[in-house]
Coordinates of all heavy atoms in Angstrom, one line a residue:
M879 N 139.1 143.7 17.2 CA 139.5 145.0 17.9 C 139.1 144.6 19.4 O 138.2 144.1 19.8 CB 138.5 146.1 17.4 CG 138.7 147.4 18.3 SD 137.4 148.7 17.9 CE 137.9 149.0 16.2
N880 N 140.0 145.1 20.3 CA 139.8 145.0 21.6 C 138.5 145.7 22.0 O 138.2 146.7 21.6 CB 141.0 145.9 22.4 CG 140.9 145.7 23.8 OD1 140.0 146.3 24.3 ND2 142.0 145.1 24.4
R881 N 137.8 144.9 22.9 CA 136.5 145.4 23.3 C 136.5 146.7 24.0 O 135.6 147.5 23.9 CB 135.8 144.3 24.1 CG 135.3 143.1 23.2 CD 134.8 142.0 24.1 NE 134.2 141.0 23.3 CZ 134.9 140.0 22.5 NH1 136.1 140.0 22.7 NH2 134.3 139.1 21.8
L882 N 137.5 146.8 24.9 CA 137.6 148.1 25.6 C 138.0 149.2 24.6 O 137.4 150.3 24.8 CB 138.7 148.0 26.6 CG 139.0 149.3 27.6 CD1 137.7 149.6 28.4 CD2 140.0 149.0 28.6
L883 N 138.7 149.1 23.6 CA 139.1 150.1 22.8 C 137.8 150.5 21.9 O 137.7 151.7 21.6 CB 140.1 149.5 21.7 CG 140.6 150.5 20.6 CD1 141.1 151.7 21.2 CD2 141.6 149.9 19.7
A884 N 136.9 149.5 21.6 CA 135.6 149.9 20.9 C 134.8 150.9 21.7 O 134.4 151.8 21.2 CB 134.9 148.8 20.6
G885 N 134.7 150.7 23.0 CA 134.0 151.6 23.8 C 134.7 152.9 23.9 O 134.1 154.1 23.9
Y886 N 136.1 152.8 24.1 CA 136.7 154.1 24.1 C 136.6 155.0 23.0 O 136.3 156.2 23.0 CB 138.2 153.9 24.4 CG 139.2 155.1 24.1 CD1 139.2 156.0 25.1 CD2 139.9 155.3 22.9 CE1 140.0 157.2 25.0 CE2 140.6 156.4 22.9 CZ 140.7 157.4 23.8 OH 141.4 158.5 23.6
L887 N 136.7 154.3 21.7 CA 136.6 155.1 20.6 C 135.2 155.7 20.3 O 135.1 156.8 19.8 CB 136.9 154.2 19.4 CG 138.4 153.8 19.2 CD1 138.6 152.8 18.1 CD2 139.2 155.0 19.0
A888 N 134.2 155.1 20.8 CA 132.8 155.6 20.7 C 132.6 156.8 21.6 O 131.8 157.7 21.2 CB 131.8 154.4 21.2
Y889 N 133.3 156.8 22.8 CA 133.0 157.9 23.7 C 134.2 158.7 24.0 O 134.3 159.5 25.1 CB 132.4 157.3 25.0 CG 131.1 156.7 24.7 CD1 131.0 155.3 24.7 CD2 130.0 157.3 24.4 CE1 129.8 154.6 24.5 CE2 128.8 156.8 24.1 CZ 128.7 155.3 24.1 OH 127.5 154.7 23.9
K890 N 135.4 158.8 23.2 CA 136.6 159.3 23.5 C 136.6 160.7 23.9 O 137.3 161.3 24.6 CB 137.6 159.0 22.6 CG 137.4 159.7 21.1 CD 138.4 159.3 20.1 CE 138.1 160.0 18.8 NZ 138.9 159.5 17.9
D891 N 135.6 161.5 23.3 CA 135.5 163.0 23.4 C 134.5 163.4 24.5 O 134.3 164.6 24.5 CB 135.1 163.7 22.0 CG 136.2 163.3 20.9 OD1 137.4 163.3 21.2 OD2 135.7 163.0 19.8
T892 N 134.1 162.6 25.4 CA 133.2 162.9 26.5 C 134.0 163.2 27.7 O 135.1 162.7 28.0 CB 132.3 161.8 26.7 OG1 132.9 160.6 27.2 CG2 131.5 161.4 25.4
P893 N 133.4 164.0 28.6 CA 134.1 164.3 29.8 C 134.2 163.1 30.7 O 135.1 162.9 31.6 CB 133.3 165.3 30.4 CG 132.1 165.5 29.6 CD 132.2 164.8 28.4
E894 N 133.3 162.1 30.6 CA 133.3 160.9 31.5 C 134.6 160.1 31.1 O 135.2 159.5 32.1 CB 132.1 160.1 31.2 CG 130.8 160.7 31.9 CD 130.1 161.7 30.7 OE1 130.7 161.9 29.7 OE2 129.0 162.0 31.0
V895 N 134.9 160.0 29.9 CA 136.1 159.2 29.5 C 137.3 159.9 29.9 O 138.4 159.3 30.5 CB 136.1 158.8 27.9 CG1 137.4 158.4 27.6 CG2 135.0 158.0 27.6
A896 N 137.4 161.2 29.8 CA 138.6 162.0 30.3 C 138.8 161.7 31.7 O 139.9 161.6 32.2 CB 138.4 163.5 29.9
Q897 N 137.8 161.8 32.5 CA 137.8 161.6 34.0 C 138.1 160.2 34.3 O 139.1 160.0 35.2 CB 136.4 161.9 34.6 CG 136.6 161.8 36.2 CD 135.1 162.2 36.8 OE1 134.2 162.3 36.0 NE2 135.1 162.2 38.0
W898 N 137.7 159.2 33.6 CA 138.1 157.8 33.7 C 139.5 157.5 33.5 O 140.2 156.8 34.2 CB 137.1 157.0 32.8 CG 137.4 155.4 32.9 CD1 137.3 154.7 33.9 CD2 137.8 154.6 31.7 NE1 137.5 153.3 33.5 CE2 137.9 153.4 32.2 CE3 138.2 155.1 30.5 CZ2 138.3 152.4 31.4 CZ3 138.5 153.9 29.6 CH2 138.7 152.6 30.1
L899 N 140.0 158.2 32.4 CA 141.5 158.1 32.1 C 142.4 158.7 33.1 O 143.4 158.4 33.3 CB 141.8 158.6 30.7 CG 141.2 157.8 29.5 CD1 141.3 158.6 28.3 CD2 141.7 156.4 29.5
D900 N 141.9 159.8 33.8 CA 142.7 160.4 34.8 C 142.8 159.6 35.9 O 143.8 159.9 36.9 CB 142.1 161.8 35.2 CG 142.5 162.9 34.3 OD1 143.5 162.7 33.6 OD2 141.9 164.1 34.3
G901 N 141.9 158.6 36.2 CA 142.1 157.7 37.3 C 141.1 157.9 38.4 O 140.5 159.0 38.5
P902 N 140.8 156.9 39.1 CA 141.3 155.6 38.9 C 140.7 155.0 37.8 O 139.6 155.1 37.4 CB 141.0 154.9 40.3 CG 139.7 155.6 40.8 CD 140.0 157.1 40.4
F903 N 141.5 154.1 37.2 CA 141.1 153.4 35.9 C 140.6 152.0 36.2 O 141.3 151.0 36.3 CB 142.4 153.3 35.0 CG 142.2 152.8 33.6 CD1 142.0 153.6 32.7 CD2 142.5 151.6 33.3 CE1 141.8 153.3 31.3 CE2 142.4 150.9 32.1 CZ 142.0 151.9 31.1
F904 N 139.2 152.0 36.3 CA 138.5 150.7 36.7 C 137.7 150.2 35.5 O 137.3 151.0 34.7 CB 137.6 150.8 37.9 CG 138.2 151.1 39.2 CD1 138.1 152.5 39.7 CD2 139.1 150.2 39.9 CE1 138.6 152.6 41.0 CE2 139.6 150.4 40.9 CZ 139.4 151.7 41.6
K905 N 137.7 148.9 35.4 CA 136.9 148.3 34.5 C 136.6 146.9 35.0 O 137.2 146.4 35.8 CB 137.5 148.1 33.0 CG 138.6 147.2 33.0 CD 139.2 146.9 31.7 CE 140.4 145.9 31.6 NZ 140.7 145.4 30.4
A906 N 135.3 146.4 34.5 CA 134.8 145.2 35.0 C 134.3 144.4 33.8 O 133.7 145.0 32.8 CB 133.7 145.3 36.0
V907 N 134.4 143.0 33.9 CA 133.8 142.2 32.7 C 132.9 141.2 33.5 O 133.3 140.6 34.5 CB 135.0 141.5 32.0 CG1 134.3 140.5 31.1 CG2 136.0 142.4 31.4
C908 N 131.6 141.2 33.0 CA 130.6 140.3 33.6 C 130.3 139.2 32.6 O 130.2 139.6 31.5 CB 129.5 141.1 34.1 SG 129.9 142.4 35.4
K909 N 129.9 138.1 33.3 CA 129.3 137.0 32.5 C 127.8 137.1 32.7 O 127.3 137.1 33.9 CB 129.8 135.8 32.9 CG 129.4 134.4 32.1 CD 130.2 133.3 32.5 CE 129.8 132.1 31.7 NZ 130.4 130.9 32.0
V910 N 127.0 137.1 31.6 CA 125.4 137.2 31.8 C 124.8 136.1 31.0 O 125.3 135.6 30.0 CB 125.0 138.7 31.4 CG1 125.8 139.6 32.3 CG2 125.2 138.9 30.0
N911 N 123.6 136.0 31.3 CA 122.7 135.1 30.5 C 122.0 135.9 29.5 O 122.2 137.1 29.5 CB 121.7 134.3 31.4 CG 120.7 135.1 32.2 OD1 120.3 136.2 31.6 ND2 120.5 134.8 33.4
A912 N 121.2 135.4 28.7 CA 120.7 136.0 27.4 C 119.7 137.1 27.9 O 119.5 138.3 27.4 CB 119.9 135.0 26.6
K913 N 118.9 136.9 29.0 CA 117.9 137.9 29.6 C 118.8 139.1 30.2 O 118.4 140.2 29.9 CB 117.0 137.2 30.7 CG 116.1 138.3 31.2 CD 115.2 137.6 32.2 CE 114.2 138.6 32.8 NZ 113.4 138.1 33.7
E914 N 119.8 138.8 30.9 CA 120.7 139.9 31.4 C 121.3 140.7 30.4 O 121.3 142.0 30.4 CB 121.6 139.4 32.4 CG 121.1 138.7 33.7 CD 122.1 137.9 34.4 OE1 122.9 137.2 33.8 OE2 121.9 137.9 35.7
F915 N 121.7 140.1 29.2 CA 122.2 140.8 28.2 C 121.3 141.7 27.5 O 121.5 142.9 27.2 CB 122.8 139.6 27.1 CG 123.7 140.3 26.0 CD1 125.0 140.5 26.1 CD2 123.0 140.8 24.8 CE1 125.8 141.0 25.2 CE2 123.9 141.2 23.8 CZ 125.2 141.4 24.0
E916 N 120.0 141.2 27.2 CA 119.0 142.1 26.7 C 118.7 143.1 27.5 O 118.4 144.3 27.1 CB 117.7 141.2 26.3 CG 118.0 140.3 25.2 CD 118.3 141.0 23.8 OE1 117.8 142.0 23.4 OE2 119.3 140.5 23.3
N917 N 118.6 143.0 28.8 CA 118.2 144.1 29.9 C 119.2 145.1 29.8 O 119.0 146.3 29.8 CB 117.9 143.6 31.2 CG 116.7 142.8 31.3 OD1 115.8 142.9 30.6 ND2 116.6 141.8 32.4
A918 N 120.6 144.7 29.6 CA 121.6 145.7 29.7 C 121.6 146.5 28.5 O 122.0 147.6 28.5 CB 122.9 144.8 29.8
K919 N 121.1 146.0 27.4 CA 121.0 146.8 26.1 C 120.1 148.0 26.4 O 120.1 148.9 25.4 CB 120.7 146.0 24.9 CG 121.8 145.1 24.5 CD 121.7 144.4 23.2 CE 120.3 143.7 22.9 NZ 120.3 142.9 21.6
S920 N 119.2 148.0 27.3 CA 118.3 149.1 27.5 C 118.8 150.3 28.3 O 118.4 151.3 28.4 CB 117.0 148.7 28.2 OG 117.4 148.3 29.7
V921 N 120.1 150.0 28.8 CA 120.8 151.1 29.5 C 121.5 152.0 28.5 O 122.1 151.6 27.5 CB 121.9 150.5 30.5 CG1 122.7 151.5 31.1 CG2 121.3 149.5 31.5
A922 N 121.4 153.3 28.7 CA 122.0 154.3 27.8 C 123.4 154.2 27.8 O 124.2 153.8 28.5 CB 121.6 155.7 28.2
D923 N 124.0 154.8 26.6 CA 125.4 154.9 26.3 C 126.2 153.6 26.4 O 126.9 153.4 27.2 CB 126.0 155.9 27.4 CG 125.4 157.3 27.3 OD1 125.1 157.8 26.1 OD2 125.2 157.9 28.3
H924 N 125.9 152.9 25.3 CA 126.7 151.7 25.2 C 126.8 151.4 23.7 O 126.4 151.9 22.8 CB 125.8 150.5 25.7 CG 124.6 150.1 25.0 ND1 123.4 150.7 25.3 CD2 124.4 149.3 24.0 CE1 122.5 150.3 24.5 NE2 123.1 149.4 23.7
V925 N 127.8 150.4 23.5 CA 128.2 150.0 22.2 C 127.9 148.3 22.2 O 128.6 147.7 23.1 CB 129.6 150.3 21.7 CG1 130.0 149.7 20.4 CG2 129.8 151.8 21.8
V926 N 127.2 147.8 21.4 CA 127.0 146.4 21.3 C 128.0 145.8 20.3 O 128.1 146.3 19.2 CB 125.6 145.9 20.8 CG1 125.5 144.5 20.7 CG2 124.6 146.5 21.9
L927 N 128.8 144.9 20.7 CA 129.8 144.3 19.7 C 129.4 143.0 19.3 O 128.7 142.2 19.9 CB 131.2 144.1 20.6 CG 131.6 145.4 21.2 CD1 132.8 145.1 22.0 CD2 132.1 146.4 20.3
T928 N 129.8 142.8 18.0 CA 129.4 141.5 17.2 C 130.6 140.8 16.8 O 131.8 141.4 16.9 CB 128.5 141.8 16.0 OG1 129.3 142.7 15.2 CG2 127.2 142.4 16.4
E929 N 130.5 139.5 16.6 CA 131.6 138.7 16.2 C 131.4 138.1 14.8 O 130.4 137.3 14.6 CB 131.9 137.5 17.2 CG 133.0 136.6 16.8 CD 134.2 137.3 16.7 OE1 134.8 137.9 17.5 OE2 134.8 137.1 15.5
S930 N 132.3 138.6 14.0 CA 132.0 138.0 12.5 C 132.3 136.5 12.2 O 131.6 135.8 11.6 CB 132.9 138.8 11.5 OG 134.4 138.5 11.9
A931 N 133.1 135.9 13.2 CA 133.3 134.5 13.2 C 132.1 133.7 13.7 O 131.9 132.4 13.5 CB 134.5 134.1 13.9
L932 N 131.3 134.4 14.2 CA 129.9 133.8 14.8 C 128.7 134.3 14.0 O 127.6 134.5 14.6 CB 129.7 134.0 16.2 CG 130.9 133.3 17.2 CD1 130.6 133.9 18.5 CD2 130.9 132.0 17.1
D933 N 128.9 134.6 12.7 CA 127.8 135.2 11.8 C 127.2 136.5 12.3 O 126.0 136.7 12.2 CB 126.7 134.1 11.6 CG 127.3 132.8 10.9 OD1 128.1 133.0 10.0 OD2 126.9 131.7 11.2
G934 N 128.0 137.3 12.8 CA 127.5 138.7 13.4 C 126.8 138.6 14.6 O 126.2 139.5 15.0
R935 N 126.9 137.5 15.3 CA 126.2 137.4 16.6 C 126.8 138.5 17.7 O 127.9 138.8 17.8 CB 126.5 136.0 17.4 CG 125.8 135.6 18.5 CD 126.0 134.3 18.9 NE 125.5 134.0 20.3 CZ 125.8 133.0 21.0 NH1 126.7 132.1 20.5 NH2 125.4 132.7 22.2
E936 N 125.8 139.0 18.4 CA 126.2 140.0 19.6 C 126.9 139.2 20.7 O 126.3 138.2 21.2 CB 124.9 140.8 20.0 CG 124.2 141.5 19.0 CD 123.0 142.2 19.6 OE1 122.3 141.7 20.5 OE2 122.5 143.2 18.9
V937 N 128.1 139.7 21.0 CA 128.8 138.9 22.1 C 129.2 139.8 23.2 O 129.6 139.2 24.3 CB 130.1 138.3 21.4 CG1 129.7 137.3 20.3 CG2 131.0 139.4 20.8
A938 N 129.1 141.1 23.2 CA 129.6 141.9 24.3 C 128.8 143.3 24.2 O 128.4 143.8 23.1 CB 131.0 142.1 24.4
I939 N 128.9 144.0 25.3 CA 128.4 145.3 25.4 C 129.4 146.1 26.2 O 129.9 145.7 27.2 CB 126.9 145.5 26.2 CG1 125.9 144.6 25.6 CG2 126.5 146.9 26.1 CD1 124.7 144.5 26.3
V940 N 129.8 147.2 25.6 CA 130.8 148.1 26.3 C 130.1 149.4 26.6 O 129.3 150.0 25.9 CB 131.9 148.4 25.4 CG1 132.9 149.5 26.1 CG2 132.6 147.3 24.9
F941 N 130.1 149.9 27.9 CA 129.4 151.0 28.5 C 130.2 152.1 28.7 O 131.4 152.0 29.1 CB 128.5 150.7 29.8 CG 127.5 149.6 29.7 CD1 127.8 148.3 29.7 CD2 126.3 150.0 29.3 CE1 126.8 147.4 29.6 CE2 125.3 149.0 29.2 CZ 125.6 147.7 29.3
K942 N 129.8 153.3 28.5 CA 130.4 154.6 28.6 C 130.8 154.6 30.2 O 129.9 154.3 31.0 CB 129.7 155.7 28.3 CG 130.4 157.1 28.5 CD 129.6 158.2 27.8 CE 128.6 158.8 28.6 NZ 128.1 160.0 28.2
P943 N 132.0 155.0 30.6 CA 132.2 155.2 32.1 C 131.1 156.2 32.6 O 130.7 157.1 32.1 CB 133.6 155.9 32.1 CG 134.1 155.5 30.8 CD 133.0 155.5 29.8
R944 N 130.9 155.8 33.9 CA 130.0 156.7 34.7 C 130.3 156.6 36.2 O 131.0 155.6 36.6 CB 128.5 156.3 34.4 CG 128.1 155.0 34.8 CD 126.8 154.5 34.2 NE 127.1 154.2 32.8 CZ 126.1 154.2 31.8 NH1 124.9 154.4 32.1 NH2 126.4 153.8 30.6
A945 N 129.9 157.5 37.0 CA 130.1 157.4 38.5 C 129.4 156.2 39.1 O 128.4 155.7 38.5 CB 129.5 158.7 39.1
A946 N 130.0 155.7 40.0 CA 129.5 154.5 40.6 C 128.0 154.5 41.0 O 127.2 153.6 40.7 CB 130.3 154.1 41.9
E947 N 127.5 155.6 41.5 CA 126.1 155.7 41.9 C 125.2 155.9 40.7 O 124.0 155.8 40.8 CB 126.0 156.8 42.8 CG 126.3 158.3 42.4 CD 127.8 158.6 42.4 OE1 128.5 157.9 42.8 OE2 128.2 159.7 42.0
A948 N 125.7 156.1 39.5 CA 124.9 156.3 38.3 C 124.7 155.0 37.5 O 123.8 155.0 36.6 CB 125.6 157.2 37.3
W949 N 125.2 153.9 37.9 CA 125.0 152.6 37.3 C 123.6 152.1 37.9 O 123.3 152.2 39.1 CB 126.0 151.7 37.7 CG 127.4 151.8 37.0 CD1 128.4 152.5 37.5 CD2 127.6 151.4 35.7 NE1 129.3 152.5 36.5 CE2 128.9 151.9 35.4 CE3 126.9 150.9 34.6 CZ2 129.6 151.7 34.2 CZ3 127.6 150.7 33.4 CH2 128.9 151.1 33.1
P950 N 122.7 151.6 36.9 CA 121.5 151.0 37.4 C 121.7 149.8 38.3 O 122.8 149.1 38.2 CB 120.8 150.5 36.1 CG 121.6 151.2 34.9 CD 122.9 151.6 35.4
K951 N 120.7 149.6 39.2 CA 120.8 148.7 40.3 C 121.1 147.3 39.7 O 121.9 146.4 40.3 CB 119.5 148.6 41.0 CG 119.6 147.7 42.3 CD 118.2 147.9 43.1 CE 118.4 147.0 44.3 NZ 117.0 147.1 45.0
M952 N 120.5 147.0 38.5 CA 120.8 145.5 37.9 C 122.3 145.1 37.9 O 122.6 144.0 38.0 CB 120.1 145.4 36.6 CG 120.7 146.4 35.5 SD 120.1 146.2 33.9 CE 121.1 144.8 33.3
F953 N 123.2 146.1 37.7 CA 124.6 145.9 37.5 C 125.3 145.3 38.8 O 126.2 144.5 38.7 CB 125.3 147.1 37.0 CG 125.0 147.3 35.5 CD1 124.1 148.2 35.2 CD2 125.9 146.8 34.6 CE1 123.8 148.5 33.8 CE2 125.7 147.0 33.3 CZ 124.6 147.9 32.8
R954 N 124.5 145.5 39.8 CA 125.2 145.0 41.2 C 124.9 143.6 41.3 O 125.7 142.9 42.1 CB 124.5 145.8 42.4 CG 124.9 147.2 42.5 CD 124.3 147.8 43.8 NE 123.4 148.9 43.5 CZ 122.5 149.3 44.1 NH1 122.3 148.8 45.3 NH2 121.8 150.4 43.8
F955 N 124.0 143.0 40.5 CA 123.7 141.6 40.8 C 124.4 140.7 39.6 O 124.3 139.5 39.6 CB 122.2 141.4 40.6 CG 121.6 142.1 41.8 CD1 120.9 143.4 41.7 CD2 121.6 141.6 43.0 CE1 120.4 144.1 42.7 CE2 121.0 142.3 44.1 CZ 120.5 143.5 44.0
L956 N 125.1 141.3 38.6 CA 125.7 140.5 37.6 C 127.1 139.8 38.1 O 127.7 140.4 39.1 CB 126.1 141.4 36.5 CG 124.9 142.2 35.8 CD1 125.5 143.1 34.5 CD2 123.9 141.2 35.2
K957 N 127.4 138.8 37.6 CA 128.6 137.9 38.1 C 129.8 138.5 37.4 O 129.6 138.5 36.2 CB 128.3 136.4 37.8 CG 127.2 135.8 38.7 CD 126.9 134.4 38.3 CE 125.9 133.8 39.1 NZ 125.6 132.5 38.8
L958 N 130.8 138.6 38.1 CA 132.1 139.0 37.4 C 132.7 137.8 36.7 O 132.5 136.7 37.1 CB 133.0 139.6 38.5 CG 132.9 140.8 39.1 CD1 134.0 141.1 40.1 CD2 132.9 141.9 38.0
Y959 N 133.3 138.1 35.5 CA 133.7 137.0 34.6 C 135.1 136.8 35.4 O 135.9 137.7 35.5 CB 133.9 137.4 33.2 CG 134.7 136.5 32.5 CD1 134.0 135.2 32.0 CD2 136.0 136.6 32.1 CE1 134.6 134.3 31.1 CE2 136.6 135.6 31.2 CZ 136.0 134.5 30.9 OH 136.6 133.7 30.1
R960 N 135.5 135.5 35.5 CA 136.7 135.1 36.1 C 137.2 134.0 35.1 O 136.5 133.0 35.1 CB 136.6 134.6 37.6 CG 136.1 135.6 38.4 CD 136.3 135.2 39.8 NE 135.6 136.1 40.7 CZ 136.0 137.3 41.2 NH1 137.1 137.9 40.9 NH2 135.4 138.0 42.0
D961 N 138.3 134.2 34.6 CA 139.0 133.3 33.6 C 139.6 132.1 34.4 O 140.1 132.2 35.4 CB 140.1 133.9 32.8 CG 140.5 133.1 31.6 OD1 139.8 132.1 31.3 OD2 141.6 133.4 31.1

């Protein structure tokens, strides 16, 4: 399942998602180390995704949309993923 879709389905009936869909429609993908991943799991309103091909290993976290000023400070220091 598309990772963004998993987050959408978890929070589709919330006002934050309705506002996000109305635009502007931003998303970001960050590459993190194990400590950053664990710290991010402490932030409210998220879905942890696992990969069955990796024996159920946690591979991503999708967060419910929120206003820019509502993101915890730690997110400002994460590196954007660039393919």
Side-chain angles (χ1 to χ4, degrees):
M879 176 186 296
N880 179 296
R881 287 172 173 83
L882 182 60
L883 179 59
Y886 168 76
L887 291 175
Y889 299 108
K890 67 182 178 182
D891 297 323
T892 65
E894 293 88 351
V895 169
Q897 184 179 10
W898 178 63
L899 290 173
D900 274 345
F903 186 84
F904 293 112
K905 66 177 181 166
V907 178
C908 298
K909 184 175 181 179
V910 298
N911 61 37
K913 183 179 179 184
E914 291 166 330
F915 191 88
E916 287 304 312
N917 287 342
K919 289 194 308 186
S920 70
V921 176
D923 299 321
H924 70 270
V925 177
V926 176
L927 303 174
T928 59
E929 177 54 61
S930 59
L932 298 173
D933 296 321
R935 184 175 170 195
E936 295 178 340
V937 295
I939 306 173
V940 179
F941 294 90
K942 181 171 85 171
R944 60 195 80 200
E947 62 275 2
W949 287 98
K951 186 177 181 179
M952 66 175 270
F953 284 88
R954 288 188 241 155
F955 300 99
L956 299 179
K957 294 179 184 177
L958 288 177
Y959 175 79
R960 301 196 191 274
D961 190 20

